[in-house]
Amino acid sequence: MFTPMHPRKFATRAGEATLRPAELSDVDALIELNKRCFPTPLEESVVWNRAQLRNHLRVFPDGQLVVERDGQLVGAAHALIVSLGSDPYRPHTYSGITDGGYFHNHNPEGDTLYGVDVYVDPAARGQGIGRELYAARRSICKQLNLRRIVAGGRIHGFINHPTLTPEQYVRKVETGELKDMVLSFQLREGFVVRGVLRNYVRDPRSRNNAILIEWLNPDHVAQPSVGARKVRVASVQHQVRRTKDFAAFAEQLEYFVEAAAGYRADFVVFPEFVSVQLLSQPGLERLGAREGVLKLAALSNEYLELVSSLAKRFGIHIIAGTHPMQLRGTLFNVCPFVFPDGRVQLQPKLHITPGEKAYWGLEGGSDLGIMHTPKAKVGVLICYDVEFPEAARYLSDRGAEILFVPYCTDDRQGFCRVRFCCQARAIENQIYVVTAGIIGNLPSVAAMDIHYGQAAVFTPSDFEFARDGIQAQADPNVEMLLVTDLDIDDLHRSRSSGSVRPRLDRRRDLFEFRVHLQSDPDEPGLAESLPFDLEPGIESER
C-alpha cells in the first residue's frame, strides 16, 4: 500500500531545505522556478503552464515533488505512470509521452514511472537538491511496486561538440572522457542508457535529442497482467410512444438498463428528451409546448429518483438522456449523469437551438465538466453542443476519453449535422464519441411529432480503429440496444504515436483557446465538479 510522502528536511550548503509533495498553492511558484531554469525562448516547450501543473496534481499527486528553502521553491520533479507496451524502449517524444504536458495519459495500471522533469534553481545547483529528488522518485517507484523508472534525459553539453553524433557523445560521457551536466549526474544516480530519442523536444543544447535512460527497481515483484483497458458502452435507440403513466415509462427505461447490465456494459446512454413522452399521458396531451415543458420540469424529482435507483440497482453508469429542469428560476435542458452508487452530476445543454427557444423557452447553461469514473474519464455534450468544436476541445483538454452525445433530431438533415460533427470531434480530439437518438412519433405532444435517429459509436481514424472510424452503428429508426467495447489503450497509443496526432500537433502559438465557463473561470483543466445547483427539494446525491 502506498504511503504518501511526508515532508522531510535535509541539509544543504546554503541551509536546511524541505522535500515535500507539491500542492496547488505551489503552482505560481513552480512556473517562476521553471522559467528560471529554462530561460531561453527556444526552450518554451518544456515550461509548464498553470493548467498543466494543476492537472498533474489532479491525476497523480504522489508523483509531483518540490524542494523548499527559506520559503522559496528551489527544486521540483514531475512524473507519471505509463505502459510502453510490448516495446519497452520504443521511440517517443516529450509531448507524446506527457499528452501535451497534461498527463491525461497517466495509467495507474502501468509498470513504468516516467520521469518527466527534474529542475533545480541555477543558484542552488551543486547542493544535493537534485540527488534528493532522484532518491524520492526511486522511493515512489519501490512503494508502488513499479518495474522501473524511465526518462528522456537532456544532453546538456552536446551543443559544444558539433562533429559528434548523439551516440558518440553519449559513449564518451559513459566512459568518462566527457562530462555532461545532466547525463553524468544521471549515470551516477544508477541510470543506464538505452538509446537515443531523436526530435524528442525542442532543446537547442541537445540539438532536439534526448537519451532514453532507465533505472530498474531491484525490489519489483511481478504481478499478473491485467490485460487491455476495455470499456463496454451501450446506446439506447429509444422509440417514443404513448404512455399511460409514469410507472409505464419507468418500465421502458428499466428494460433497457437491465438489458445493458445483462451485457455487462459499464455505461448506458439514453437519447435527448427521452422523458418528453411523459407528456403523452392522459390529462397531459395536447398541452401547448411551453405549458407542457413546465409540467415536465415539475417531475424532475421523480425522474432523478428513477434513474438514480436504476443505477444503484443494476450497478451501471447511466447517461440519462435529458430532462427539462427549472433551476435558479431558469429552464434548462439537463442531462443527469448517474453513478452506480446513485450520485447524480448534472450537465446542462450549452447551445440551444432556435426551435427549443421558440417552443419551450429553454436557456443554455454555462457549466461543463468531466465525470471521473473508474473505467474512463468521460464528458457529455447534448445534441447541438457537438456542432461547436470548442466544447469538445475543452473536454478533451481536460482528459476526456469518451464523449457521450444524446440527441433528438426530427429529420435526416438534423441527424446528419449531429452525426458528422460527432465524427469530426472524434478525429480532431482523438476520443471515442457515443451517440444515442430518439426515434418514433408523438403526435399528441407539441414539438415532438417526428424523429430520425441512428445510434452509433465513432472513433479516431487510424490503424488501431475500424476502417471508417465507425466502431458500431444501429439500423436507422429501429428501436434497439447497441453494445460495443472500446479499447482505451488503443486511444492513448494513437494519441502519442498515430499516423497523425491532432492533439499534439495543434499550433498553440497561432490559435489561442480561452474559456469563460462558470465552472472554470480561468483556464481549461481546473474545475473538479459542476456548480450547477438544483432547486430546493432536488438533491444531487441519492
Side-chain angles (χ1 to χ4, degrees):
M1 181 177 179
F2 183 79
T3 303
M5 175 184 294
H6 296 291
R8 184 173 62 79
K9 298 184 182 300
F10 64 97
T12 73
R13 290 200 304 270
E16 189 175 69
T18 301
L19 173 70
R20 61 173 175 80
E23 301 172 352
L24 280 174
S25 58
D26 295 321
V27 166
D28 291 335
L30 280 169
I31 291 173
E32 292 306 313
L33 172 62
N34 212 219
K35 290 178 179 178
R36 293 198 299 275
C37 295
F38 303 105
T40 306
L42 288 175
E43 296 174 318
E44 64 183 10
S45 60
V46 299
V47 177
W48 304 115
N49 62 43
R50 293 182 72 248
Q52 291 168 332
L53 289 168
R54 294 187 67 156
N55 208 55
H56 300 173
L57 291 168
R58 183 169 66 230
V59 301
F60 187 36
D62 296 320
Q64 320 312 318
L65 307 171
V66 297
V67 173
E68 184 177 17
R69 188 173 62 192
D70 299 328
Q72 184 178 20
L73 296 190
V74 292
H78 305 273
L80 73 160
I81 299 174
V82 299
S83 175
L84 293 178
S86 59
D87 183 1
Y89 305 116
R90 66 174 172 82
H92 55 269
T93 65
Y94 183 83
S95 185
I97 203 71
T98 64
D99 200 5
Y102 282 90
F103 292 12
H104 290 314
N105 57 323
H106 169 71
N107 179 9
E109 303 298 329
D111 67 349
T112 299
L113 185 68
Y114 197 93
V116 175
D117 212 354
V118 172
Y119 47 100
V120 176
D121 193 316
R125 289 172 183 165
Q127 300 178 19
I129 293 170
R131 185 172 62 249
E132 294 292 333
L133 288 166
Y134 269 73
R137 187 178 276 173
R138 288 193 294 269
S139 176
I140 292 171
C141 182
K142 289 182 177 182
Q143 280 206 61
L144 292 172
N145 190 37
L146 299 175
R147 187 170 65 86
R148 61 181 185 157
I149 302 174
V150 166
R154 304 180 79 197
I155 39 179
H156 188 268
F158 187 46
I159 192 174
N160 301 320
H161 300 271
T163 63
L164 298 180
T165 67
E167 290 82 1
Q168 291 170 334
Y169 177 82
V170 169
R171 182 59 182 160
K172 288 180 179 292
V173 174
E174 287 181 303
T175 60
E177 186 178 344
L178 293 176
K179 299 291 184 184
D180 184 273
M181 185 178 78
V182 177
L183 181 56
S184 295
F185 169 78
Q186 292 167 332
L187 294 174
R188 291 195 301 271
E189 289 297 311
F191 283 83
V192 296
V193 173
R194 296 302 189 192
V196 174
L197 299 170
R198 286 176 167 78
N199 297 313
Y200 177 76
V201 70
R202 187 170 57 181
D203 175 16
R205 295 204 62 88
S206 303
R207 287 187 256 166
N208 298 342
N209 297 290
I211 305 305
L212 182 62
I213 57 173
E214 179 186 51
W215 176 83
L216 293 173
N217 176 7
D219 301 332
H220 174 66
V221 178
Q223 301 293 322
S225 174
V226 297
R229 187 174 158 214
K230 297 278 192 178
V231 176
R232 181 164 293 178
V233 297
S235 176
V236 179
Q237 189 156 292
H238 180 80
Q239 180 173 341
V240 290
R241 76 243 6 210
R242 290 179 184 271
T243 187
K244 63 178 181 179
D245 53 28
F246 190 93
F249 168 73
E251 286 181 4
Q252 294 175 31
L253 265 60
E254 179 182 344
Y255 167 79
F256 282 114
V257 173
E258 183 176 14
Y263 283 105
R264 300 189 302 279
D266 301 298
F267 299 89
V268 59
V269 55
F270 285 90
E272 181 186 25
F273 290 127
V274 67
S275 64
V276 174
Q277 76 178 68
L278 288 167
L279 293 178
S280 67
Q281 298 177 70
L284 297 181
E285 298 175 293
R286 307 300 178 185
L287 291 176
R290 177 66 176 176
E291 185 182 5
V293 80
L294 290 174
K295 288 281 189 182
L296 197 60
L299 297 174
S300 294
N301 268 318
E302 290 84 346
Y303 186 68
L304 290 177
E305 288 169 359
L306 168 63
V307 294
S308 178
S309 65
L310 290 174
K312 286 191 289 186
R313 178 178 168 190
F314 293 103
I316 191 172
H317 296 86
I318 301 177
I319 298 88
T322 69
H323 183 85
M325 295 185 184
Q326 194 157 14
L327 308 171
R328 300 193 292 266
T330 303
L331 195 62
F332 297 98
N333 186 12
V334 180
C335 175
F337 185 96
V338 192
F339 293 82
D341 61 3
R343 288 179 298 120
V344 179
Q345 189 166 331
L346 300 178
Q347 176 57 62
K349 188 173 185 177
L350 307 181
H351 303 87
I352 303 302
T353 66
E356 288 174 301
K357 289 181 180 179
Y359 289 114
W360 292 319
L362 294 170
E363 297 291 337
S366 302
D367 299 321
L368 185 61
I370 286 286
M371 290 72 170
H372 294 268
T373 77
K375 289 289 185 176
K377 294 182 284 291
V378 308
V380 174
L381 292 180
I382 303 167
C383 197
Y384 196 30
D385 286 338
V386 83
E387 298 180 33
F388 298 86
E390 300 86 356
R393 173 60 50 81
Y394 172 77
L395 291 172
S396 172
D397 281 350
R398 290 196 59 203
E401 295 159 324
I402 304 173
L403 179 63
F404 290 100
V405 181
Y407 68 89
C408 174
T409 51
D410 56 355
D411 54 31
R412 185 170 174 82
Q413 293 97 313
F415 158 75
C416 286
R417 288 194 297 269
V418 172
R419 176 194 175 95
F420 294 134
C421 286
C422 284
Q423 289 191 269
R425 304 297 87 85
I427 291 170
E428 67 199 14
N429 295 296
Q430 294 181 282
I431 57 177
Y432 292 114
V433 180
V434 182
T435 71
I438 284 282
I439 62 171
N441 308 313
L442 274 180
S444 64
V445 178
M448 287 291 290
D449 42 2
I450 59 171
H451 302 94
Y452 188 103
Q454 184 179 26
V457 179
F458 303 111
T459 75
S461 188
D462 212 335
F463 291 110
E464 289 90 346
F465 311 102
R467 186 195 66 178
D468 298 326
I470 304 171
Q471 173 83 7
Q473 61 182 343
D475 296 329
N477 296 326
V478 177
E479 187 168 56
M480 62 183 296
L481 183 69
L482 183 69
V483 182
T484 191
D485 287 338
L486 307 179
D487 191 318
I488 304 300
D489 291 337
D490 277 351
L491 196 70
H492 287 287
R493 275 193 294 271
S494 74
R495 290 178 177 184
S496 62
S497 56
S499 301
V500 294
R501 303 169 304 168
R503 290 169 57 86
L504 301 181
D505 294 336
R506 286 162 56 188
R507 290 294 304 275
R508 298 174 188 267
D509 57 324
L510 298 181
F511 302 101
E512 185 177 9
F513 185 58
R514 298 177 65 94
V515 176
H516 303 283
L517 295 164
Q518 289 183 4
S519 51
D520 189 359
D522 295 322
E523 53 192 325
L526 308 189
E528 290 295 341
S529 60
L530 296 174
F532 198 67
D533 298 325
L534 295 161
E535 293 286 358
I538 305 177
E539 300 177 356
S540 60
E541 292 192 12
R542 297 182 180 276

